[in-house]
């Protein structure tokens, strides 16, 4: 089994920074990423020294650790072992080695936790995916400079301006199929969580179906109230602009209505990656699991959940239940890079207040 740390790399990056404090920033390590407890203490002390404008002198660093007695002696010995061990210009290389070993330990820790959790099946897989997704995010770049971000934004603006000059679409987000709503959302649905809230029978589901129909392929719908067949019937009714009652009963159906339904069915039939999941009582964690499971194969671009109060998440207080659902779906949206639309039933003032708080804290819009 590969060793879980590299003592030489940890000493080298500390030694390089003791020679040239400027290397500390390029190393960009957190103290927790060091395996040796003494190295963790020293690196944390070095960061505090830099923050206070103190020199990275071994004596100053040792004092900043706050270690006394025998512990201070061990820190002194460790510092002396690190001196002369690294070249400042190679600090990024040393830090990359330290970071990879830290990530390896974290993955093994997640695996060990799963092995002893006692969970099985989807619950186990859900926790595994959540844990590994967090590590993937941790292993990537966590911050970018404003100068780099400004360059990215202006590059994108230039590309969109060129597209506009050629008469091509310039909208960044997914179109909802409704021009005014796209404008309100600042250019369609973006990566993140968007909540559609309203009282019963206020048209939430109809709006969500309109959005799903506009996006088409790559839509993953969780219809927790209707069966998949009824959802499809409602969708055809919307697309054909034929009243649902007429479509279900067939009473008063005209040739024009029938032609409209046939056309809608033909269009919908071509949507081979439009998924509909009608399992009742799915939890937000199970929804996240299913989206991750199908995203690569189906190229998922939009997730719709109808609706929050029918999900299987349980909590003593309704506020915490809604907040937990929103948090899980928001995290899913950010990590998978897709918009997620969550419908929520607003039947009481307390629900409206809770949803407003959730919307402000968790949603993109």
């Amino acid at each position: 089994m590969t060793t879980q740390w590299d003592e030489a790399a940890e000493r080298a990056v500390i030694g390089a920074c003791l020679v040239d404090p400027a290397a500390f920033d390029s190393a960009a390590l957190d103290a927790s990423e060091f395996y040796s407890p003494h190295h963790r203490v020293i690196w944390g002390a070095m960061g505090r020294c830099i923050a206070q404008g103190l020199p990275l002198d071994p004596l100053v660093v040792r004092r900043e650790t706050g270690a006394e007695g025998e512990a201070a002696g061990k820190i002194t010995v460790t510092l002396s072992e690190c001196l002369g061990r690294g070249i400042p210009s190679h600090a990024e290389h040393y830090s990359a080695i330290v970071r990879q070993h830290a990530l390896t330990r974290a993955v093994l820790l997640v695996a060990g936790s799963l092995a002893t959790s006692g969970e099985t099946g989807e619950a186990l897989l859900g926790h595994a995916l959540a844990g590994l997704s967090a590590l993937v995010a941790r292993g990537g770049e966590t911050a970018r400079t404003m100068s780099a971000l400004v360059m990215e934004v202006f590059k994108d603006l230039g590309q969109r301006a060129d597209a506009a000059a050629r008469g091509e679409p310039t909208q960044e987000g997914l179109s909802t199929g409704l021009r005014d709503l796209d404008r309100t959302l600042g250019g369609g649905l973006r990566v993140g969580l968007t909540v559609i809230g309203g009282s019963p029978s206020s048209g939430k589901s109809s709006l969500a179906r309109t959005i799903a129909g506009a996006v088409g392929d790559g839509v993953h719908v969780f219809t927790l109230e209707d069966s998949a067949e009824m959802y499809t019937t409602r969708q055809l009714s919307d697309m054909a602009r034929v009243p649902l009652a007429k479509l279900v009963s067939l009473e008063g159906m005209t040739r024009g209505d029938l032609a409209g339904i046939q056309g809608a069915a033909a269009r919908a039939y071509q949507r081979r990656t439009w998924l509909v999941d009608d399992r009742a009582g799915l939890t937000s964690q199970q929804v996240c699991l299913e989206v991750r499971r199908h995203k690569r194969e189906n190229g998922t671009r939009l997730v719709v959940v109808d609706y929050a109060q029918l999900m299987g998440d349980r909590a003593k207080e309704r506020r915490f239940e809604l907040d937990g659902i929103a948090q899980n779906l928001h995290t899913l949206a950010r990590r998978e890079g897709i918009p997620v639309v969550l419908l929520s039933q607003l039947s009481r003032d307390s629900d409206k207040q809770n949803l407003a708080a959730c919307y402000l804290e968790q949603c993109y819009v």
Side-chain angles (χ1 to χ4, degrees):
M1 180 177 176
T2 304
T3 180
Q4 294 182 30
W5 76 302
D6 190 317
E7 183 177 16
E10 291 194 2
R11 288 182 177 181
V13 72
I14 292 174
C17 295
L18 289 172
V19 173
D20 182 3
F24 189 90
D25 288 336
S26 62
L29 285 170
D30 186 83
S32 63
E33 293 180 285
F34 287 84
Y35 179 81
S36 165
H38 293 151
H39 292 165
R40 288 199 296 268
V41 170
I42 290 171
W43 192 260
M46 291 170 70
R48 293 192 294 274
C49 285
I50 289 177
Q52 298 172 54
L54 300 175
L56 289 190
D57 178 88
L59 178 61
V60 176
V61 172
R62 187 193 65 74
R63 288 178 177 174
E64 187 60 33
T65 65
E68 298 179 354
E70 183 180 351
K74 291 181 179 180
I75 293 296
T76 300
V77 170
T78 303
L79 278 167
S80 66
E81 292 172 342
C82 293
L83 284 171
R85 290 298 184 102
I87 302 172
S89 60
H90 295 173
E92 289 188 44
H93 175 70
Y94 308 141
S95 67
I97 297 173
V98 173
R99 185 174 294 110
Q100 286 302 308
H101 280 288
L103 190 57
T104 298
R105 294 194 300 272
V107 171
L108 294 176
L109 184 63
V110 169
S113 175
L114 291 170
T116 59
S117 67
E119 294 182 323
T120 59
E122 289 190 351
L124 180 63
L125 183 56
H127 284 145
L129 288 172
L132 293 177
S133 294
L135 293 179
V136 168
R138 168 179 161 180
E141 188 175 13
T142 57
R144 289 170 287 171
T145 65
M146 180 55 71
S147 59
L149 290 169
V150 167
M151 291 298 292
E152 284 187 26
V153 170
F154 266 86
K155 180 180 179 181
D156 177 68
L157 288 174
Q159 291 173 342
R160 292 169 58 207
D162 290 342
R166 296 191 298 268
E168 299 173 358
T170 60
Q171 181 166 295
E172 289 185 287
L174 288 177
S175 176
T176 63
L178 302 169
R179 185 177 302 174
D180 290 343
L181 182 56
D182 284 346
R183 188 179 299 115
T184 299
L185 294 174
L189 291 168
R190 311 287 189 91
V191 172
L193 175 65
T194 300
V195 175
I196 299 176
S199 57
S201 302
S202 61
K204 301 183 300 300
S205 296
S206 178
L207 174 57
R209 288 194 301 273
T210 297
I211 295 172
V215 174
D217 273 334
V219 177
H220 197 159
V221 175
F222 294 87
T223 172
L224 307 179
E225 184 173 32
D226 283 337
S227 67
E229 291 77 14
M230 178 52 71
Y231 175 86
T232 304
T233 301
R234 293 182 187 276
Q235 190 74 56
L236 291 176
S237 170
D238 294 342
M239 294 172 67
R241 298 185 179 181
V242 174
L244 179 64
K246 183 183 289 189
L247 179 57
V248 173
S249 68
L250 300 180
E251 293 182 4
M253 184 77 70
T254 66
R255 290 186 176 180
D257 293 334
L258 184 58
I261 293 170
Q262 289 175 334
R267 295 194 302 275
Y269 181 75
Q270 297 302 317
R271 308 288 176 80
R272 303 300 175 90
T273 57
W274 183 345
L275 304 180
V276 179
D277 191 326
D278 64 355
R279 286 175 290 170
L282 287 177
T283 65
S284 57
Q285 188 177 66
Q286 289 172 322
V287 167
C288 295
L289 171 62
E290 290 302 312
V291 171
R292 293 188 182 104
R293 179 182 294 171
H294 292 286
K295 182 174 182 289
R296 180 176 297 180
E297 179 182 350
N298 289 282
T300 303
R301 298 189 296 152
L302 172 68
V303 174
V304 178
V305 181
D306 185 5
Y307 56 90
Q309 284 74 13
L310 291 179
M311 301 189 79
D313 299 62
R314 292 290 178 265
K316 293 181 180 180
E317 296 184 26
R318 193 175 194 82
R319 170 178 173 77
F320 296 133
E321 180 181 346
L322 289 173
D323 284 354
I325 290 170
Q327 180 62 60
N328 287 341
L329 295 181
H330 176 69
T331 301
L332 170 73
R334 291 297 303 274
R335 288 181 178 165
E336 299 300 328
I338 54 178
V340 175
V341 174
L342 171 66
L343 278 59
S344 184
Q345 195 91 282
L346 302 184
S347 56
R348 303 178 308 186
D349 290 339
S350 59
D351 283 341
K352 295 176 183 178
Q353 187 176 15
N354 291 341
L355 185 64
C358 161
Y359 184 90
L360 290 174
E361 294 172 3
Q362 304 297 341
C363 299
Y364 165 76
V365 180

